[in-house]
Amino acid sequence: MNAYDEYMKQVVKPMRSELTDAGFKELTTPDEVHSHMKETGVSLIVVNSVCGCAAGLARPAVTAAVAELDKKPEHLVTVFAGQDQEATATMRDYFSDVPPSSPSIAIWKDGELAYFIPREQIESNSMDTIKDHLAGVLADII
């Protein structure tokens, strides 16, 4: 591993742990993504990133929405755009009808994309608006 890769690994560590500490499982390889996507039930998928709207909006909104739900998705998973590039590309292949964006939030139910929140809808809203919207959508889908 070169110095740049090692530096970036340390820089993104807290960005990863913000989701993993909230119960999200990181999928870092294409095989992990394929294996997960065979699961049944509802998956909340976060395409994480280093940008400010991920830090100030997406991650806090997702973790707050999940925390307030009475009934939670069966699976909480995340891929990290720009860091785990092959895993992220593989995940995006599962919802290829929507343009790639990061951060983004997907709800996958029984083998189909049930809902998608792209970056544009994240960066143009407040954290509370995103949280309330996501919690409402999840409550309807679960």
Side-chain angles (χ1 to χ4, degrees), residues 81-94:
Q83 300 301 306
D84 302 318
Q85 295 175 359
E86 291 176 353
T88 303
T90 301
M91 180 62 78
R92 286 177 171 154
D93 285 344
Y94 281 93

Side-chain angles (χ1 to χ4, degrees), residues 30-51:
D31 287 343
E32 289 175 347
V33 171
H34 288 307
S35 178
H36 172 75
M37 297 307 274
K38 294 175 187 172
E39 298 285 336
T40 58
V42 176
S43 291
L44 176 57
I45 303 164
V46 177
V47 178
N48 199 357
S49 89
V50 298
C51 72

